[in-house]
Amino acid sequence: MNRTKGIIFDLDGVIVDTAKFHYLAWRKMANDLGFDITLEQNEKLKGVSRVNSLQQILGWGNKTVTETEFEELMSSKNDDYLARIAHMDDDDLLPGVKKSLDYLTQNNVPFALGSASKNARPILKGLKIEQRFKAIVDGNDVSKAKPDPEVFLIAAEKLGIPPQECVVFEDSVAGIEAANAAGMVSVGIGDKEILKEADYNFADFTEIDDKFLEQIVRK
Ligand code: B16
Ligand code: MG
């Protein structure tokens, strides 16, 4: 029997600062189509799947495209995004993340990834932390995107821990909504005004100490 709760980490914006590269790549695509997207609009894209992001962006720009053009835009945005993150390595882990992962490993607290990204595995490999996760659930494994809780429920199942005994670290409104809908404890990483539905809020992992982790994983 597990003696601790299980932890589920989002990827983009929690473990690594890829959120800004998603924004830059979407913004370039929008600019090429003749409109712009704001940082405020970008908040609505965080944690949202590639398909749903493009649908929203085209709506903001009042653009209608054919199915083929839609596929081409998704593919060129992803190529642009991958080029921007190509040289990522373990120095790119967000501050404080390594220390928290070390604490969890040393204390036998199982942790999983629950990300909307279809690029999650190569990113974790680049960061040299792929092997440390007991389970990885990403955009390739789900049929329903955040705010649907599916990604986190699959992660809990793979950890072998009931959803109500899991804690989710998330930087997006959609992800906090998904964690709450899954009946999990939600920890917002980022602006607490934006992530106000989270059970706990921190600006980043440098604010999270061993004492908090110890308290949150205790059953
Ligand atoms: P990809 P997360 C999400 O990852 C990002 O927050 C979101 O901006 C992105 O559109 C989505 O992944 C899909 O990513 O295009 O790489 O498949 O935050 O859930 O780890
Ligand atoms: Mg995220």
Side-chain angles (χ1 to χ4, degrees):
M1 197 176 81
N2 285 299
R3 288 168 40 239
T4 72
K5 289 187 180 159
I7 303 286
I8 304 174
F9 289 98
D10 174 50
L11 177 65
D12 295 323
V14 169
I15 287 179
V16 66
D17 196 10
T18 40
K20 71 174 178 232
F21 299 118
H22 277 296
Y23 174 56
L24 291 173
W26 283 130
R27 191 169 186 214
K28 173 162 189 319
M29 184 206 76
N31 290 170
D32 290 346
L33 291 171
F35 63 99
D36 204 4
I37 49 176
T38 64
L39 277 171
E40 208 182 350
Q41 286 173 317
N42 185 55
E43 283 302 324
K44 301 200 174 92
L45 302 177
K46 286 185 179 174
V48 173
S49 70
R50 205 180 304 170
V51 176
N52 293 354
S53 298
L54 182 53
Q55 279 165 349
Q56 282 212 53
I57 294 168
L58 292 174
W60 293 333
N62 275 320
K63 294 277 165 197
T64 317
V65 296
T66 65
E67 226 169 274
T68 313
E69 285 165 343
F70 192 94
E71 289 303 320
E72 281 166 6
L73 287 171
M74 283 221 298
S75 158
S76 60
K77 180 270 171 179
N78 197 47
D79 289 347
D80 180 0
Y81 171 69
L82 291 177
R84 290 173 195 268
I85 62 161
H87 303 295
M88 194 158 268
D89 64 20
D90 44 351
D91 288 338
D92 291 298
L93 282 170
L94 277 166
V97 169
K98 186 174 179 300
K99 189 171 167 279
S100 294
L101 295 184
D102 288 347
Y103 174 88
L104 299 175
T105 304
Q106 281 152 16
N107 289 280
N108 297 316
V109 181
F111 55 89
L113 190 85
S115 166
S117 176
K118 293 188 170 177
N119 298 303
R121 282 177 187 273
I123 292 172
L124 289 182
K125 227 176 244 168
L127 296 170
K128 303 188 183 79
I129 54 170
E130 192 197 12
Q131 302 302 329
R132 301 187 60 178
F133 287 79
K134 187 170 174 193
I136 294 173
V137 186
D138 67 19
N140 301 294
D141 303 312
V142 296
S143 56
K144 286 169 261 164
K146 298 172 188 175
D148 190 281
E150 185 185 18
V151 65
F152 296 141
L153 291 173
I154 298 176
E157 199 182 322
K158 288 196 174 184
L159 286 175
I161 296 181
Q164 63 276 16
E165 289 170 16
C166 288
V167 181
V168 174
F169 289 84
E170 252 293 347
D171 72 316
S172 71
V173 175
I176 293 294
E177 208 179 316
N180 291 343
M184 299 177 177
V185 174
S186 54
V187 183
I189 303 295
D191 188 330
K192 71 167 188 262
E193 297 304 319
I194 294 172
L195 304 174
K196 51 182 181 293
E197 299 300 326
D199 295 316
Y200 299 88
N201 290 90
F202 296 96
D204 58 42
F205 270 83
T206 63
E207 288 187 354
I208 297 180
D209 56 15
D210 290 357
K211 213 171 131 208
F212 174 76
L213 292 174
E214 190 192 323
Q215 169 223 317
I216 201 124
V217 301
R218 199 176 294 147
K219 276 181 55 174

